[in-house]
Amino acid sequence: MRRLGDLEAEIMDRLWTWDRPATVREIVDDLNRTRPLAYTTVMTVADILHRKGMLRREKSGRAWSYRPACTREAYSAALMRDVLGESPNPGGALAHLVEQLTPEELAALRSALDSVDRGAPGDGPR
Amino acid sequence: MTAALALLGYALLVGALAPLPLARSGWAHRAPRLAVALWQALALSFVTALVLAVHHLAVPGVHLHLGLAGLMHVCGVDHPGSLASGTGWRLLLPAAVALWPLGRLAAALARTARHRRRHRAVLDLVAARDRDLGAHVLDHATPAAYCLPGRRSRIVLTRGALELLTDQQVAAVLAHERAHVTGRHHLARTAADAFAAAFPFLPLARLAARETPLLLEMAADDRAVRRHPRTVLAAAMYRVADGQVPRTAFAAGGPAALLRVRRLLAPAAAPHPALRAAAALASAAAPVLPLLVTCGPVLP
């Protein structure tokens, strides 16, 4: 199961990097440079990604040609909104290091840091 | 009747009066893990007392017996003959009182797990796993560090955070996030939130939900500074906060980050062992205390 997940990530990674539509054959050939994988395995996983809405596809000849539904950046941005979003994670689903602060709070934080040993290994603000 | 009144009095004490000094106490921030345990114990104690009180009111004249028999009784698992036939429906009321917060908890656990699962599914496709760091690196310019707790946990740093922080700071931040995961902090957080959702007007519930997240952050800070310099973690927090978009409104819970940084920079001694022992004892005793109130020999 885990390996299927890894394969999903590898397929998405290739399509994002190539930045053009690609057939399963092209993906398999590239994956096979590092390890042997069956065509049907890759086809199945590409189909799963399509059903999840991560990949779009259109016919190119007799095969499907796949491309990512959104850019990698769009997904990263969505994850960040989830972490730092306006509705701070309901029920603490995600715990992040430090919440967003107001400029006043930041200044107070900085003066607290400044007041203890300057230039210590902590190497505070720039 | 006497027992029911005693239990209601106890519930009032635990639910409305005890939380006020605890929320104001100075020792909680010096022993955050213990304080979290005490909040959870008080919540459990409140629910137990309430269930037993309703049971006494709904099934008058039937005495609850100490320990397991009493618990089974409350759960509606009785050996035959202990209740007059046809009065079993009276147990529905105390059962409902018990199931109300439990249902809220189950729903909240399912909801947060689903939220994390969805987040993780995308994260695993987008972020690169860095074996040296033991974390996933998300290609985003905003500095951030967070964790997805639970089974198949993930610790995540953004590229922005890696660029902004020194190696030492990264190590301290990772230790903080790892402490959340290994300490299963998300369970205490979800339980406190669910308790507040079940009893929205109860001071105990409101204050426990307000204090628990901050106490858990402090507990993770404490764990991280066992192996990393305090100033390093404090500086990392500042840098990350400085690199994010500033908030326009103050956070609901107050200046939590400021409390944490001041605490990191000027550590106070742990509370006196006697106080720690008392708090630990109270945490252990509180959930079963209501059973003793009703079933002890004091109240016939």
Side-chain angles (χ1 to χ4, degrees), chain A residues 1-11 31 34-38 41-42 45 48-49, chain B residues 124-125 131 152 154:
Chain A
M1 204 52 217
R2 186 66 230 122
R3 290 175 67 190
L4 273 193
D6 286 345
L7 191 50
E8 287 184 10
E10 285 175 276
I11 293 173
L31 284 166
T34 51
R35 62 192 163 119
L37 269 168
T41 309
V42 178
V45 175
I48 290 172
L49 285 168
Chain B
D124 282 357
L125 294 180
R131 282 179 200 284
R152 298 178 61 200
R154 300 279 183 274

Side-chain angles (χ1 to χ4, degrees), chain B residues 211-293:
Chain B
E211 296 296 311
T212 299
L214 174 58
L215 290 169
L216 291 172
E217 290 301 327
M218 290 178 169
D221 288 342
D222 286 355
R223 186 70 194 243
V225 300
R226 280 196 208 165
R227 296 206 172 175
H228 302 272
R230 295 174 162 272
T231 47
V232 170
L233 182 59
M237 281 180 59
Y238 173 81
R239 283 200 158 185
V240 170
D242 189 38
Q244 294 173 353
V245 182
R247 280 179 77 95
T248 44
F250 280 93
L258 195 56
L259 285 174
R260 283 169 60 202
V261 164
R262 289 203 174 125
R263 181 174 171 276
L264 281 172
L265 297 176
H272 192 273
L275 179 62
R276 295 180 62 87
L281 192 67
S283 308
V288 288
L289 205 57
L291 286 170
L292 300 179
V293 169

Side-chain angles (χ1 to χ4, degrees), chain B residues 80-116:
Chain B
S82 70
L83 268 182
S85 60
T87 58
W89 61 269
R90 290 169 182 269
L91 286 172
L92 286 177
L93 208 55
V97 173
L99 286 176
W100 169 244
L102 284 178
R104 283 302 183 112
L105 179 59
L109 286 173
R111 197 167 53 241
T112 54
R114 196 166 55 238
H115 186 141
R116 285 195 299 267

